[in-house]
Amino acid sequence: MKKDEKKYDNADECPITIFMDKIGGKWKPVIVWLLLNNGTMRFNELDKAINGITQKMLSQQLKDLELENIIKRISYPVIPPKVEYSLTDKGKTLSELLKGIMQWSKTNLQGNYQ
Amino acid sequence: MKKDEKKYDNADECPITIFMDKIGGKWKPVIVWLLLNNGTMRFNELDKAINGITQKMLSQQLKDLELENIIKRISYPVIPPKVEYSLTDKGKTLSELLKGIMQWSKTNLQGNYQ
DNA sequence: TACTTTATAGTAAGTTCTTGCGGCAAAGTA
DNA sequence: TACTTTGCCGCAAGAACTTACTATAAAGTA
């Protein structure tokens, strides 16, 4: 094998990397989790539910998730605006995965700060 | 309920957020995945295996994972240096989770770029 | 002698991510 | 009339994350 040659090429097409890129991060999993538990939520409800997020961030993340077809956005043409967010069928399939992550995290990451 | 009061407080202590913070990101899941599949690996092997990572990044991520007790580091006092990385028992318990993420990602995130 | 090897640590520079602030629309309420 | 409401957007500024580059040890090899 030549010098500097890469044996694998995991980073770019690794499904896990893609996942982290699209569903991971600081806010997206929380948004999905909330919608999973609460069904339909309005923008302001999500804003209040998520500690520390700014409206700017929230709308950005929602847009990303909508583009990935994880969430569904329904906008009512009223004033003041009313927009409802909920999970798509695809988004709902994240349920087990998130539960798994949550469980692992509770077991392994919580409480080792002492 | 008072104005601006938060109904929940998910972001800070949400296990999923903690997980993403500690095991998520661009490189960590890939490192864990590689160690899961290859057992023990040396620094250079990981470097070659991970497309696009810099050595600096790699050593930082490895250090983080070691602090979380996900990976184990064995350093041999020889010159040139030799350091071996492998998963701890705790790290190994990530196996199913990562497989699940990988599966979901393959099914749902791959190939919708057309 | 000069170069190569390995696993990092600094440092500076560059990028991307997040925040904060202000603003808009048009109806309802005080 | 003046203020409130909702779901954003745009811009500037700050924070965080990444990269690139240099350096090191001490033995082995050309």
Side-chain angles (χ1 to χ4, degrees):
Chain A
M1 183 160 59
K2 282 182 304 221
K3 193 180 153 192
D4 289 347
E5 191 176 325
K6 299 279 177 186
K7 256 190 285 185
Y8 322 81
D9 193 54
N10 300 55
D12 283 349
E13 300 128 48
C14 170
I16 297 178
T17 303
I18 295 174
F19 179 90
M20 288 298 165
D21 201 45
K22 305 211 164 162
I23 323 280
K26 191 172 177 185
W27 309 114
K28 287 187 188 120
V30 182
I31 293 172
V32 173
W33 182 255
L34 284 170
L35 293 177
L36 218 36
N37 290 315
N38 300 319
T40 299
M41 291 179 84
R42 294 184 62 180
F43 186 86
N44 267 354
E45 292 184 286
L46 286 165
D47 189 29
K48 289 205 188 86
I50 304 172
N51 186 267
I53 200 170
T54 59
Q55 293 187 320
K56 179 94 197 223
M57 263 295 107
L58 180 55
S59 67
Q60 262 173 52
Q61 305 298 303
L62 288 169
K63 198 182 292 174
D64 288 352
L65 287 171
E66 200 197 344
L67 278 175
E68 285 305 323
N69 193 34
I70 305 291
I71 66 175
K72 189 164 45 198
R73 192 186 108 106
I74 298 175
S75 167
Y76 299 88
V78 295
I79 292 220
K82 172 175 176 176
V83 181
E84 289 182 341
Y85 294 93
S86 57
L87 293 175
T88 59
D89 286 343
K90 180 171 161 185
K92 286 177 189 159
T93 66
L94 280 166
S95 177
E96 290 311 307
L97 216 47
L98 289 181
K99 278 184 198 159
I101 291 174
M102 180 156 260
Q103 201 46 61
W104 192 92
S105 181
K106 276 184 178 168
T107 306
N108 295 284
L109 295 179
Q110 229 98 76
N112 47 1
Y113 314 101
Q114 44 170 331
Chain B
M1 183 160 60
K2 281 182 306 218
K3 192 179 157 193
D4 288 346
E5 191 175 325
K6 299 281 177 182
K7 254 189 285 182
Y8 323 81
D9 193 54
N10 299 58
D12 284 348
E13 299 129 49
C14 170
I16 298 177
T17 302
I18 295 174
F19 179 90
M20 288 299 164
D21 201 44
K22 304 210 166 162
I23 324 280
K26 191 172 177 184
W27 309 114
K28 287 187 188 121
V30 181
I31 293 172
V32 173
W33 183 254
L34 284 169
L35 293 178
L36 218 37
N37 290 316
N38 300 319
T40 298
M41 292 179 83
R42 295 187 60 183
F43 186 86
N44 267 353
E45 292 184 285
L46 285 165
D47 189 29
K48 290 204 188 86
I50 303 172
N51 186 269
I53 200 170
T54 59
Q55 293 187 319
K56 179 91 195 223
M57 261 296 105
L58 181 55
S59 68
Q60 262 173 53
Q61 305 299 303
L62 288 169
K63 197 180 294 174
D64 288 352
L65 288 171
E66 201 198 345
L67 277 175
E68 284 306 323
N69 193 35
I70 304 291
I71 66 175
K72 186 163 48 196
R73 191 187 110 106
I74 298 175
S75 166
Y76 298 89
V78 296
I79 291 219
K82 173 173 175 177
V83 181
E84 289 182 341
Y85 292 94
S86 57
L87 293 174
T88 59
D89 287 342
K90 179 171 160 184
K92 285 176 190 159
T93 64
L94 280 166
S95 178
E96 290 311 306
L97 215 49
L98 289 181
K99 278 184 198 157
I101 291 174
M102 178 157 262
Q103 201 46 59
W104 192 92
S105 182
K106 276 185 178 167
T107 306
N108 296 284
L109 296 178
Q110 230 99 74
N112 46 2
Y113 312 101
Q114 42 169 339

